[in-house]
Every structure is written in C-alpha cells, then in structure tokens.
Amino acid sequence: MYTCTKTCALTGLNGHEVQVELDMANGLPKVTLIGLAEGAVRESIERVRSAIKNSGYSFPRKKLTINLAPADLRKDGTQLDLAIAMAILSLDEELKLEDNSYIYLGELSLDGKVNKIAGALPMVISMREKGFRKFIVPYENRKECSIISDVEIYPVKSLEEVVSFLQGSIEIERSVGEFFREKVKHELDFSDIKGQENLKRAMEIAACAKSNILIIGSPGSGKTMAAKRLPTILPPLDFEEAIEVTKIYSISGLLEDNSLITVPPFRSPHHTASAVSLIGGGRIPKPGEISLAHNGILFLDELPEFSKSVLEVLRQPMESKEINISRANANVKYPADFQLVCALNPCPCGYHNSKNHECTCSPYEISRYLSKISHPLLDRIDIHLEVEEVDYKEISSDRSGESSSDIRKRVENVREIQKERFKDKTYKYNSEIPEKDLKKYCNLDENSKRILEFAFKKYAMSARTYNKVLKTARTIADLDGKDNITEDHILESIQYRSADNKFWGD
C-alpha cells in the first residue's frame, strides 16, 4: 500500500515542498526512514509511534518505508512529525483520510499533542508561492501564520483533532488575522536626556535617513542613553518590512507572542560576541544579530572592546544589506539591512580630551585602543560625533527636553519626503543614494562646493566619505524643509565627520 502527504523544509528563509511517501508491505515490523533526514527528523519515528498509540489509533505492525522527497534535499526540524503521522494513519482504511490537499506542519509530543514549531511563517509563505492554500498548523503558531490573508489556516492542538477534522466529525475555525498596529508605549523617552542638543540632533538626522552613527565621548556623557532611545523616534514598520522581520524571528524561535512584529527591532550584543553569533551560522545556518536587527537597529556599545576580527565581518553586509553563509550542509542568504549605532570611549581610561578628568593613558595606549576600529569600517558609518560631559546646570535643570513623539513626527515627515522622492527607485533613503544619482539629488551651489572642497582636502576624505557627507547634507536639508542644500547644511554635515579626523586622522 502506498500513500503520500505534504509538508515543508526550510533552507534559510526559503521553504521547499517535501512529500512524505509511505509504502507498507508484509514482513517483520520495521520502519525505514530515507531521504537525507537529519537527527531531529530521524527521531520523529519514535515520537510519531507513541503519539499515534496514545491518541487511540493503531500503529501498523508491518514493514514501513518512508521516503522524504526530494531525496537530495536535507531535511531538518520537527515540523515533519505531523505529516509522517498523517501518512501512516491514512493507510488505515477505517479512518478514511482521503483529502490530500493540506500542508501539515507540527511537532508531536508522545501523548499526541501538536507542539509549536520554529519557522512556521516562512514555511506558509513559501508554500503559498508554490500554489498551496490549505495549512494545518500548531495552535500556538496560529497568529503568525494567519497574517497571510489568502490562505486557509487551521490551527490544531492534537493529533486526534486533526483526524476528527479530516473525517468531518468536528469543525476547526479558520484562523484569520489582520495587520494592525497597537500603540506602542515606550518606557524610555528622549525627554529624559539633559542637554546634549547636538547629540539629539544627530540621532534625529540618523533616524530620518536610516544612517549609521558613531558616538564617541567620556563615560557618563549620554552615549548609551541616547542610543537606547533611538527606537522611540523611529516610525513603525510597514507591512512588507514587518513580514520580513517576523520571518527571521520565526525561524530563530524568538517570536514572543507569535504575532506580527511591527516595531523596528533593537539588538545590542555584548562585546564578547563571536563573529558567528554576529553574522549567523552553525551546522544548519541560523540568523545572527545583524539579521535579527534587519529593518531595525544594531547597537554596539564599547566598540573597541569587540574583537577586531568580529568588527571586520560587518563591512560586507553594511554594503550589500544581506549576508551569505556557506557551510558544508547548506548555503543560505539572510537579509541584514540594519542601522548601525556605535558608542565608544576615546581611550582605555575613558577621559581623553575630557574637560573634567585627567587622562592617564599614553599616546601609544590610545592609538592601540582605537586601532581596533579600521578606516574601512569607519568609512561606512555616515555620522561621527564627539560628545562632551553634561555640566551641572543642565543636568540639574527641571526643564524637560523635547519628547520622542514630537521628534518622531519630524522623522516621519522626512521619510515621507524620501518616499515620494524615490518612489520610482529601488532604494528608499537618502543614505542609500547611489553615486550615479548624487548630482541629481545633492546638487550644490558654488559656495557649498568650495566649502566641501576645502574640507575634503583638510580631512583627507575618501570618495565614500565625500558621498556620505553629501547624503547627510541632503537629509539635513529635508529636516529643515529646504529643497536645496545650502552652505549651513554642508557645514553641519562636515561637522559630523570631524571626530573621525580628530581621533583616527594621520
């Protein structure tokens, strides 16, 4: 006897149709599983056997051969359990399970319960693109799967419930979701920051154009405080961005309430993080911090404390907005369009150039400390800002600063300007303008050109730095409501690169 059910296996974010083919023949009771099954899949036979028996059904005492087709595709994950169980049960003529139009996704416990799986959303999306419309999924995955409106999602809690549903003895209410945004209440707010108006201005500019920013200053000057409040001035994700982020968190098993993520993610790995944890990897490659920060913020605090080899792996993803991970078992691609925010002290003791403390570091120690951050990496960061300690008058003031909600309104306005400006382009932000379009969108008058030429020679700018100064000036002009870039916009943009020359210049 032969039967077949369908499920899905993931390679990165891409799902592949897997047919669970089952042949039952006379002979000694034995189950043979073939088709490049990894460890978790090979173990599924024992879970399926116990789940079937404990759900009140009989496990065939014959020779069973299970093939996971296509046979040249490696299968990993526990989501194949339910499809294997349904293939075995469909051989029981008394159950009459004849509908073969469903995609089965779910892990089985020994008592027959259908457990939550990782990666349910990208599986449903991938199989939908292949023409499938009916999905039986674990009840706990119903929210993330139901955001796809043109498919039928049937959430189940047990194997017995699946059988009863297919027999028509019970009805399972389809899970239908919708894209909505709850009003997010941030615990942090920019009004908490005393003084540091230049820092807040730079953070606002960075938020408008999704620019990378580096903040350098003495301990306690507000670097980390400002970075942690950057998400409070970012607009919520649109539907496509939210889907991309949710897919990544789904396959990582990090969806807290199994619903759509609509808030830009904020990731802050410790400086002891390895290169693999940052970019992703493993035997079966999983997303790293740069992918978990996709469409959001990657915050690296105490930047020189990271290993230099770890920092250098950021260079290629910062340009390509994706990461390709090659392993013997798989070659996967994950999106990595993140906004990099870095904070660091100017020296090991932290008080180089401080107004209030004396630095105890030698020039060699300072140079060695900062040399962990290479010029190619610095070149890829749009805004470099030095901040000073807050004085007593500002920190003791009862006057509150501007709130995050007020700043966010201006950020949203500038993003709408960019959306309209680049509506026919493949990019969306000023920071992404390619070199061929710079003259079109960043045209300068003669005075501005002279100022930029002087700064270019004085600071020995690279071509990439020159382009980033122009893009930042374009964002400052948008924030000020100007169509043309003026001398003041160029001067302010150059100011945001002066820290580079001061601390890393020759």
Side-chain angles (χ1 to χ4, degrees), residues 109-121:
S109 60
L110 299 185
D111 61 356
K113 180 184 176 184
V114 179
N115 295 327
K116 174 186 175 183
I117 60 171
L121 177 61

Side-chain angles (χ1 to χ4, degrees), residues 69-350:
D72 61 346
L73 174 70
R74 292 186 179 274
K75 293 90 181 175
D76 189 48
T78 58
Q79 73 278 359
L80 280 73
D81 289 7
L82 186 57
I84 293 173
M86 295 312 299
I88 294 173
L89 290 175
S90 64
L91 291 176
D92 191 331
E93 295 180 355
E94 294 183 3
L95 294 179
K96 297 181 179 179
L97 305 176
E98 299 176 353
D99 192 344
N100 196 32
S101 61
Y102 291 91
I103 297 294
Y104 298 98
L105 303 172
E107 175 190 324
L108 291 175
S109 60
L110 299 185
D111 61 356
K113 180 184 176 184
V114 179
N115 295 327
K116 174 186 175 183
I117 60 171
L121 177 61
M123 291 180 197
V124 170
I125 292 175
S126 296
M127 298 307 287
R128 180 197 62 171
E129 293 172 352
K130 299 179 186 298
F132 295 96
R133 289 295 180 269
K134 295 181 179 180
F135 297 85
I136 293 179
V137 304
Y139 186 80
E140 293 177 88
N141 292 109
R142 69 192 186 283
K143 288 185 178 180
E144 60 174 295
C145 295
S146 61
I147 61 179
I148 308 301
S149 59
D150 57 346
V151 297
E152 299 178 20
I153 302 295
Y154 298 96
V156 296
K157 297 180 180 178
S158 67
L159 181 61
E160 183 180 4
E161 188 177 355
V162 179
V163 174
S164 299
F165 169 66
L166 294 177
Q167 289 177 327
S169 56
I170 67 169
E171 291 286 336
I172 296 178
E173 185 178 350
R174 286 175 54 189
S175 183
V176 180
E178 60 177 312
F179 179 61
F180 65 93
R181 293 192 179 100
E182 296 180 356
K183 190 173 182 180
V184 180
K185 294 182 179 179
H186 295 284
E187 295 182 1
L188 306 176
D189 197 277
F190 260 78
S191 60
D192 302 330
I193 303 176
K194 302 289 187 179
Q196 299 294 16
E197 297 304 322
N198 197 31
L199 173 58
K200 288 187 280 189
R201 167 77 170 180
M203 298 296 276
E204 183 178 347
I205 294 168
C208 288
K210 204 175 179 181
S211 303
N212 303 317
I213 181 170
L214 179 144
I215 312 165
I216 184 169
S218 302
S221 55
K223 306 183 299 295
T224 303
M225 186 179 187
K228 288 183 176 180
R229 283 156 178 77
L230 181 57
T232 67
I233 63 174
L234 296 179
L237 303 175
D238 63 31
F239 182 71
E240 292 301 325
E241 292 173 336
I243 287 288
E244 290 178 350
V245 174
T246 306
K247 284 168 63 177
I248 295 170
Y249 276 72
S250 178
I251 67 171
S252 302
L254 297 177
L255 279 183
E256 296 181 357
D257 59 357
N258 299 304
S259 58
L260 194 67
I261 297 176
T262 60
V263 178
F266 181 85
R267 304 294 298 183
S268 180
H270 192 260
H271 59 74
T272 56
S274 66
V276 170
S277 68
L278 206 61
I279 67 171
R283 186 179 60 85
I284 304 297
K286 295 293 184 182
E289 291 292 339
I290 63 172
S291 295
L292 293 171
H294 180 62
N295 289 329
I297 297 166
L298 178 67
F299 175 46
L300 302 183
D301 201 3
E302 305 297 343
L303 190 64
E305 300 299 333
F306 283 81
S307 167
K308 185 171 184 177
S309 61
V310 171
L311 294 178
E312 291 305 297
V313 302
L314 294 173
R315 287 161 54 178
Q316 183 268 332
M318 288 174 69
E319 291 287 330
S320 64
K321 310 295 185 184
E322 62 185 18
I323 180 70
N324 290 286
I325 306 172
S326 297
R327 296 291 184 271
N329 291 329
N331 187 349
V332 301
K333 179 189 294 184
Y334 289 117
D337 187 4
F338 57 90
Q339 181 177 359
L340 181 64
V341 179
C342 306
L344 67 152
N345 297 329
C347 65
C349 79

